[in-house]
Amino acid sequence: MDQRDFGLSETQRDFRAMARDFTEREVVPHARDWDRAEAVDPAIPGRLGELGFLGLTLPEEYGGTPADMLSYTVVTEELGRGDSSVRGIVSVSLGLVAKTIAAHGTEEQQRQWLPRLAGGESLGCFGLTEPGTGSDAGSLRTRARRDGGDWILDGAKTFITNGTVADVALTFARTSEDGITAFLVPTEAPGFTATGIHGKLGLRGQATAELAYDGVRVPDSARLGGVGKGLGIALGALSRGRISVAAGSVGLAQGALDAAVRYATEREQFGRPVASFQLVQELLAESEVDIRAARLLTYQVARMADAGATPRQYATEASVAKYHASETAVKVSNNCLQTFGGYGFIDEYPAGKYLRDARVLTLYEGTSQVQKLIIGRALTGIDAMT
């Protein structure tokens, strides 16, 4: 048995095999071209929906795929191994948006959005980050004001994954000086615009956007959760989301290591394979150890969720996993490029893309520094973020 499958149930191994097959056939052969074009094939979300990957863990009555958190984790790991831009579609539309609707939405909201999101007919984006507020999400400036039975939203968001392709934007807006509220904003609403962000270092195939809300009117039925409860909803979603980012980081690191091992065993210098040199083996061995540790940390928090822990209860473990796995992805992809030497510096080979895609993993859904502060707060009881 592959050591990656040790401790997994038959169902979880089946999900991994399905995701691995899809990744090898429909993602890996195209990842370089999508990176160059700065766009993933628009048919991919539909394929993810057909396979049930966009409905993992969602209620079956709304089109969801029966699965536990660990199954979702191994799927996002495999997608991350193939292309982080594809993994991000699932992590955001399912992990941050659909799961949040399932957790906090009314029956009407769940009926309206979950079947479409689970089937890949629609995608969601998570409108939290703003031009002036990243890590300090509680200081966001987008505002929503009451107007009869409606709300009117004004403001801007940035670095929003799926922003130009989403049909619904889970948007967080200030409704009072000390209160933030969540809204499900249809992207076809008048006054809503999404502008693509191009020229990114990595995740080039991913649709990343700036969102503008210019007097966007939504009914009160679009409000997700209670008035003033939005920040708690956002933080809970991020705790769940960090599991998939950690899993995607593990997958990316595994892909980089696999590529480095193949290259090192095939490439010859001084009349023998590069892999026969001790310092090259050191790079590969260190990478393997770091990946195994990151995978175990990620699976541990997924199992906590499956055992009934709430996002608040596993928040620290999610930060531990996200921190270690994302830093591992950067380290391993850098080792991969070093193993490739000069060939790693051109995009004919995958090493450079792995490193470019890995770099953002330490930034979004909480920087490595924020993760350290969350872990430190859990250890000491002292909040160093304020």
Side-chain angles (χ1 to χ4, degrees):
M1 178 186 294
D2 187 325
Q3 57 88 13
R4 284 171 275 186
D5 290 337
F6 184 77
L8 299 183
S9 69
E10 182 177 355
T11 299
Q12 291 159 350
R13 292 196 299 272
D14 287 345
F15 273 118
R16 184 193 290 284
M18 188 188 310
R20 183 176 294 167
D21 180 65
F22 167 75
T23 298
E24 289 297 328
R25 288 188 297 104
E26 302 188 43
V27 176
V28 172
H30 309 290
R32 183 184 66 184
D33 292 337
W34 294 340
D35 184 65
R36 289 174 172 175
E38 294 194 44
V40 167
D41 183 346
I44 286 295
R47 288 290 295 129
L48 292 168
E50 289 171 10
L51 291 167
F53 293 161
L54 285 169
L56 290 166
T57 76
L58 295 180
E60 286 186 77
E61 61 265 36
Y62 298 118
T65 304
D68 56 14
M69 182 64 87
L70 188 51
S71 296
Y72 168 66
T73 299
V74 299
V75 167
T76 51
E77 178 184 344
E78 287 298 322
L79 295 176
R81 184 177 60 82
D83 190 346
S84 281
S85 292
V86 173
R87 191 272 307 160
I89 295 171
V90 177
S91 290
V92 173
S93 191
L94 170 58
L96 293 181
V97 180
K99 289 188 179 188
T100 303
I101 295 173
H104 300 280
T106 63
E107 184 177 345
E108 177 187 355
Q109 290 169 337
Q110 293 184 49
R111 278 201 314 267
Q112 178 182 6
W113 292 112
L114 292 185
R116 295 161 58 183
L117 293 170
E121 301 162 24
S122 296
L123 291 176
C125 65
F126 192 75
L128 180 63
T129 300
E130 297 186 353
T133 57
S135 297
D136 186 14
S139 295
L140 62 82
R141 296 180 180 178
T142 295
R143 290 194 172 271
R145 60 182 174 84
R146 283 273 200 180
D147 185 42
D150 296 338
W151 294 87
I152 298 178
L153 282 74
D154 291 280
K157 304 290 181 179
T158 195
F159 303 136
I160 307 302
T161 300
N162 294 342
T164 55
V165 294
D167 296 286
V168 60
L170 174 49
T171 302
F172 298 88
R174 186 167 300 285
T175 48
S176 66
E177 286 307 311
D178 57 355
I180 293 169
T181 303
F183 298 90
L184 295 170
V185 178
T187 57
E188 62 185 13
F192 179 95
T193 56
T195 304
I197 297 174
H198 299 285
K200 295 175 294 183
L201 174 68
L203 297 185
R204 290 179 179 172
Q206 194 171 89
T208 308
E210 296 176 343
L211 308 182
Y213 303 77
D214 185 8
V216 176
R217 181 181 293 270
V218 295
D220 189 56
S221 60
R223 174 172 47 82
L224 185 71
V227 174
K229 302 297 183 182
L231 185 58
I233 291 173
L235 295 179
L238 290 174
S239 289
R240 284 191 298 270
R242 284 167 184 153
I243 300 176
S244 67
V245 174
S249 299
V250 171
L252 185 152
Q254 187 67 59
L257 177 58
D258 291 346
V261 170
R262 283 193 302 270
Y263 184 83
T265 53
E266 295 169 0
R267 170 76 165 167
E268 290 192 358
Q269 289 288 280
F270 303 100
R272 54 187 175 136
V274 170
S276 69
F277 294 100
Q278 291 182 0
L279 293 182
V280 172
Q281 289 202 6
E282 179 185 44
L283 290 174
L284 302 178
E286 287 181 350
S287 297
E288 174 72 5
V289 172
D290 288 340
I291 292 169
R292 290 197 187 200
R295 181 177 291 114
L296 289 172
L297 288 170
T298 303
Y299 287 11
Q300 177 192 39
V301 66
R303 288 188 168 106
M304 287 182 68
D306 286 334
T310 65
R312 180 185 292 271
Q313 290 171 326
Y314 62 67
T316 301
E317 285 72 17
S319 288
V320 170
K322 197 268 184 185
Y323 165 67
H324 183 72
S326 62
E327 293 290 343
T328 290
V330 174
K331 177 182 176 182
V332 171
S333 56
N334 194 50
N335 287 350
C336 172
L337 193 148
Q338 194 70 19
T339 302
F340 272 76
Y343 285 109
F345 215 65
I346 57 176
D347 74 352
E348 182 180 350
Y349 294 85
K353 181 179 184 303
Y354 283 127
L355 182 56
R356 289 188 288 104
D357 287 349
R359 192 60 189 85
V360 77
L361 296 172
T362 68
L363 302 177
Y364 65 13
E365 296 197 32
T367 65
S368 289
Q369 287 70 33
V370 166
Q371 307 311 321
K372 289 178 182 179
L373 293 176
I374 292 171
I375 297 164
R377 181 177 61 196
L379 290 171
T380 65
I382 299 171
D383 189 349
M385 286 190 274
T386 56

